[in-house]
Amino acid sequence: MSSSDRQREREVDARLRAVPVPDGLTARLRKVALADDEGLDAALRAVPLPEGLVDRVRWAVWADDEALDEAVREVSVPRTMAARVKRQMVAQVLVPRMAQWAVAVSLVIGIGLSYIGAMSGLVWSTFSEQQPSGPALVSWTGEMVTTVESGPVKIAPVGFPVAQRTPREGEFPDLLPRISLTQFREPRSVPVSEWKALFDPTNIAAGADPMLDANLFRWGPVFGKDPVYDEQPELKKVAHPKAQGIRFPLVPGYDWAIQPKYGVYPFMAPVAHPELCSHYVPLGVTPDSYELLRRYLEDGELPPRELLHTEEFLAAIDYHYRKPQPGDMGLHLAGAPSPSKPGMLLLQVGVQAPDVADLARSGVSVTLAVDVSSSMRMGGRLAMVRNALNRLVDRLGPQDRCSLVAFSGYAEVLLEDVGIDEAKHIRTAIDRLKPRSSTNIGEGLRFAYAVAQETAKQQHPNSCVILVTDGLADLDLGTSTRIEDQLSQAAGEGILLHVIDLSADTDRTVPERQLVSLAQAGGGRARRAASTDQIDWALREMVTDKSQQVAADVQLQMTFNPKTVLAYRLLGYEPNLKTAALKTDFYSGQSTTVLYEVRLRPSRSGEGEVATAELSWRHGTVYQRAVRKINRQQFASRLIDAPLSVQAAAVVAEVAELLRYSPYAAEGARPALLVRVREMAENLDTRLYDWPSFTEFLSVVEKAQRARQSRGGVRAPP
């Protein structure tokens, strides 16, 4: 403290001491010295403040904290006041603090007792003596055990069911006795009695060695995926980036500013540059963005416009092109006036593959092991599987038999050894395929092989297991080799393993390496699929044992006549990350539709070639080619007079252009424009309503009329 501060403090003290004591204060204080606290407080409140005290106190508070504290300490505290303060501290501070501590201690005790109770229950359920009521799953080995009154307990290798007898030398392990496999339940721990029996010297001497290959028995941990990943909520509104579209040359006549600004191709004038007269169009198109729109509409929303692609909307419709003869490829050209742009024409180019004939064959017993883990919801994979399985039901022969196993963290037999006469029950079981928890492919294979081996006894020698999954973690070499040996042994018994890979890696065209190895060991084949059609082709190939590929390296080249065409625009096919492959393979019944907007030069004669389409492909080792031309006279004068395929494509393209806010689409409020398109469709040929894919598309348009624009992505222009 400085000397000036000390001087100021002494002056304050002197002024306070100079204040005279009021008359009668001392006498009154003597009377109340022994009074209670309340009486003392009342007496003190009745004492008038000396004149000028308030002003002096106001000046004094500007003194520093240390001086003020020292002055306060010099004031004597009455005894009764100290007692009152003590009681208030106990009531306001100590009692609440003790209550908080009591609550905390109670919580600790409660949580501790609950934890001890839970652990005690777990230990009791694990080691208590109990007799199973049926076949059960063993958690420590992932194996099947069967309780028998006498005789050895046999552990089957690789998770196959346990037999009640010891197999003969070289015999593949037999199945459980004829018990409905729907009694299988989730894994449980092995009772102590059964666990001890597994290590009994008598049983081990008879061939039951539980430590023979413990790693091989643990199909669950080996094949299991990460449950943290599998149990995430479905990202159903995420569109996976993929290669698509083409890039036109930046030459005179190509408005390079349109595409980056609006995300669509501009009109191109063939006369402006020779490179704009001809181009190749990718044909491997799937209806991904159309399916994305349907998933958004489930929540009453429209997707961001940049996620929608016109060519994928066109791929969602079956245009019923005429099927070509086997070994050939169909190429169809047709045209009609645009429904919304006066003076503009629509040019449709359709590519159609032939159907693979269903030759006479013996019956087959198919056991489907379908992955229903949470990750199968991504991108609607499980919905695609259900659609493909329903198509498979339509192709089952009178001698075919079908079984269905669903697996996630555990497996469940939904259907066992039924024929086409029970198609209704098959479809009901397919509808029960719903996403569940994490993945355990080993459990699914174990149940599927149990069913397949059981049905093989019922006079069905042609038997196969088809594994449908979205991926598998890599296995170490030793473990994968042992598992593949067991699959090879099963293949030797006549049960083949096929695999359909549905993993989300869109840039990959071949299945995962591990899945390929498993299929090869099981004597079958592995196929990669990313759509309902591709799953359908893979299933048909595996059931009929006949390749569904009808053409390879299919390529389409379009050439426009600059003497007739003033300008043209390709609808869709705009590239995003990278361009798509220009050559693709075609499978049984596959088709692709390409649509152009064309403006022709005036012509008095009405003649003139408009465009030429050239399709090339490879059939086996032979390369083939088809060429089709279209001239002015081949364009219909009215849309309703055009082929049904052109009418349907006009409606689909109009909706796609509106939803993606194309600058070439009609202007106005989107709901009102969609209503107008719906009314236009009602005035077209009524035979269109016999096409299921077209009527389903119109129902989607009705939902889009009532949907709101999603907040995600790029904001749609007004």
Side-chain angles (χ1 to χ4, degrees):
M1 183 183 298
S2 62
S3 58
S4 61
D5 294 336
R6 293 191 184 93
Q7 180 64 27
R8 186 171 56 185
E9 180 184 354
R10 286 193 292 270
E11 292 177 357
V12 172
D13 292 341
R15 291 182 181 182
L16 290 175
R17 285 193 294 271
V19 176
V21 178
D23 296 339
L25 176 61
T26 303
R28 289 198 301 272
L29 290 176
R30 288 194 184 100
K31 294 179 181 179
V32 299
L34 300 178
D36 57 358
D37 294 340
E38 288 75 6
L40 181 60
D41 291 341
L44 290 175
R45 284 194 298 269
V47 178
L49 294 177
E51 184 179 356
L53 177 61
V54 175
D55 294 335
R56 291 198 299 272
V57 170
R58 288 175 179 170
W59 177 87
V61 297
W62 293 98
D64 60 348
D65 294 338
E66 295 180 1
L68 186 61
D69 291 342
E70 184 177 351
V72 170
R73 283 194 297 270
E74 292 179 357
V75 178
S76 59
V77 179
R79 178 177 57 82
T80 56
M81 184 180 296
R84 289 180 58 201
V85 171
K86 184 175 182 180
R87 286 196 300 270
Q88 291 178 359
M89 289 181 63
V90 171
Q92 299 178 6
V93 179
L94 185 57
V95 172
R97 184 64 54 85
M98 292 178 65
Q100 293 175 1
W101 276 102
V103 172
V105 171
S106 300
L107 289 175
V108 171
I109 295 174
I111 294 173
L113 292 176
S114 300
Y115 178 77
I116 294 173
M119 293 302 297
S120 301
L122 179 62
V123 172
W124 175 261
S125 64
T126 302
F127 295 103
S128 62
E129 293 285 348
Q130 55 180 336
Q131 295 299 327
S133 58
L137 304 180
V138 182
S139 61
W140 72 279
T141 61
E143 280 299 315
M144 272 290 215
V145 297
T146 303
T147 303
V148 294
E149 297 180 357
S150 62
V153 177
K154 178 62 179 177
I155 297 183
V158 198
F160 293 137
V162 177
Q164 286 191 350
R165 60 179 176 82
T166 303
R168 295 185 294 272
E169 184 68 24
E171 181 183 14
F172 193 76
D174 199 357
L175 296 166
L176 285 168
R178 185 60 181 174
I179 300 176
S180 175
L181 295 176
T182 56
Q183 295 179 4
F184 284 12
R185 52 184 180 273
E186 295 188 40
R188 66 167 178 79
S189 300
V190 186
V192 175
S193 59
E194 296 180 10
W195 189 46
K196 291 180 179 179
L198 295 176
F199 289 90
D200 186 82
T202 304
N203 294 337
I204 294 178
D209 187 356
M211 304 304 293
L212 180 63
D213 193 354
N215 222 3
L216 191 58
F217 296 149
R218 296 189 179 95
W219 276 35
V222 170
F223 281 77
K225 293 165 114 176
D226 185 0
V228 177
Y229 167 77
D230 277 336
E231 295 174 4
Q232 294 298 317
E234 177 187 5
L235 302 178
K236 65 178 182 179
K237 296 182 180 179
V238 175
H240 298 289
K242 57 183 178 300
Q244 68 176 40
I246 57 178
R247 298 187 186 277
F248 284 96
L250 299 180
V251 296
Y254 182 85
D255 191 349
W256 60 270
I258 293 293
Q259 184 178 333
K261 183 176 181 179
Y262 296 103
V264 298
Y265 284 129
F267 277 94
M268 288 167 279
V271 72
H273 198 280
E275 293 189 27
L276 296 180
C277 296
S278 179
H279 60 269
Y280 291 93
V281 184
L283 299 178
V285 180
T286 57
D288 291 348
S289 64
Y290 173 71
E291 296 298 335
L292 183 69
L293 168 66
R294 297 179 61 178
R295 295 197 293 271
Y296 264 84
L297 290 178
E298 292 176 1
D299 298 330
E301 291 184 339
L302 293 174
R305 65 186 184 95
E306 69 275 7
L307 299 182
L308 302 179
H309 306 284
T310 303
E311 74 278 8
E312 295 179 351
F313 274 59
L314 291 170
I317 304 298
D318 180 6
Y319 297 96
H320 297 264
Y321 296 122
R322 182 174 56 85
K323 297 291 179 66
Q325 295 297 321
D328 199 3
M329 289 289 291
L331 182 59
H332 306 271
L333 274 71
S338 171
S340 59
K341 303 179 181 66
M344 193 73 68
L345 300 176
L346 294 178
L347 172 60
Q348 182 188 47
V349 183
V351 179
Q352 177 67 59
D355 285 330
V356 175
D358 290 334
L359 302 178
R361 58 181 177 83
S362 58
V364 61
S365 177
V366 182
T367 302
L368 296 155
V370 180
D371 186 350
V372 292
S373 61
S374 298
S375 59
M376 286 289 288
R377 293 182 299 185
M378 302 289 189
R381 293 181 206 136
L382 195 54
M384 293 189 297
V385 172
R386 287 195 295 264
N387 293 335
L389 292 179
N390 280 308
R391 293 186 189 179
L392 178 64
V393 174
D394 296 332
R395 297 186 177 91
L396 290 178
Q399 298 180 348
D400 294 331
R401 309 295 292 180
C402 180
S403 302
L404 181 60
V405 175
F407 69 91
S408 54
Y410 61 94
E412 180 183 5
V413 176
L414 302 181
L415 198 69
E416 182 183 358
D417 194 25
V418 297
I420 190 60
D421 54 334
E422 300 179 80
K424 180 179 179 180
H425 298 292
I426 300 177
R427 298 187 189 279
T428 301
I430 293 173
D431 292 339
R432 290 180 58 193
L433 294 173
K434 304 295 183 183
R436 294 195 298 232
S437 58
S438 59
T439 308
N440 188 337
I441 293 182
E443 193 76 347
L445 283 177
R446 184 162 66 85
F447 272 64
Y449 268 89
V451 175
Q453 288 179 314
E454 180 67 22
T455 56
K457 291 181 176 181
Q458 311 301 320
Q459 305 302 319
H460 302 305
N462 298 327
S463 181
C464 68
V465 173
I466 300 179
L467 173 65
V468 184
T469 182
D470 60 348
L472 174 66
D474 287 338
L475 307 177
D476 64 86
L477 181 60
T479 302
S480 62
T481 300
R482 292 192 294 271
I483 294 175
E484 290 168 9
D485 289 343
Q486 298 299 324
L487 294 176
S488 299
Q489 185 178 354
E493 297 293 325
I495 302 177
L496 306 181
L497 173 65
H498 303 298
V499 180
I500 299 178
D501 179 13
L502 304 178
S503 54
D505 189 356
T506 56
D507 291 334
R508 187 165 46 80
T509 58
V510 296
E512 288 187 357
R513 176 190 58 82
Q514 189 64 62
L515 293 176
V516 173
S517 299
L518 292 177
Q520 291 175 346
R525 55 180 67 93
R527 292 291 180 264
R528 177 83 170 87
S531 66
T532 299
D533 287 337
Q534 293 176 4
I535 300 173
D536 180 34
W537 297 324
L539 289 172
R540 292 166 61 181
E541 178 179 315
M542 295 166 181
V543 171
T544 63
D545 197 25
K546 183 177 180 60
S547 175
Q548 299 298 302
Q549 181 177 313
V550 297
D553 300 334
V554 183
Q555 189 174 29
L556 174 65
Q557 182 180 17
M558 289 298 300
T559 302
F560 289 88
N561 184 3
K563 297 180 180 180
T564 307
V565 178
L566 183 64
Y568 71 90
R569 180 174 75 92
L570 175 63
L571 275 69
Y573 294 91
E574 294 87 3
N576 47 15
L577 298 180
K578 58 182 179 180
T579 57
L582 296 178
K583 294 182 179 181
T584 187
D585 299 336
F586 266 62
Y587 292 82
S588 176
Q590 182 179 356
S591 64
T592 297
T593 293
V594 182
L595 197 64
Y596 292 90
E597 287 183 341
V598 182
R599 187 176 294 277
L600 303 181
R601 295 178 180 275
S603 175
R604 295 181 180 178
S605 62
E607 298 178 356
E609 179 183 305
V610 175
T612 301
E614 180 179 346
L615 186 70
S616 60
W617 71 93
R618 177 173 55 85
H619 183 69
T621 58
V622 179
Y623 285 87
Q624 303 183 45
R625 186 170 70 99
V627 179
R628 299 288 185 272
K629 299 178 182 294
I630 187 171
N631 54 42
R632 290 176 182 265
Q633 294 178 338
Q634 291 176 285
F635 284 80
S637 58
R638 298 185 307 169
L639 181 59
I640 194 173
D641 298 328
L644 296 182
S645 62
V646 180
Q647 297 182 44
V651 174
V652 174
E654 193 74 15
V655 172
E657 293 287 283
L658 287 173
L659 292 179
R660 69 194 309 255
Y661 289 84
S662 169
Y664 301 108
E667 297 183 358
R670 280 335 184 238
L673 293 175
L674 291 174
V675 172
R676 189 183 308 172
V677 174
R678 185 73 174 80
E679 294 174 350
M680 178 195 72
E682 293 176 352
N683 294 325
L684 296 178
D685 197 313
T686 56
R687 290 177 294 173
L688 287 173
Y689 289 87
D690 294 332
W691 294 3
S693 61
F694 184 76
T695 55
E696 182 181 5
F697 180 83
L698 293 182
S699 66
V700 172
V701 175
E702 291 180 356
K703 294 179 181 178
Q705 297 171 13
R706 303 184 297 269
R708 61 187 182 278
Q709 187 66 45
S710 172
R711 297 180 180 180
V714 178
R715 170 183 268 181

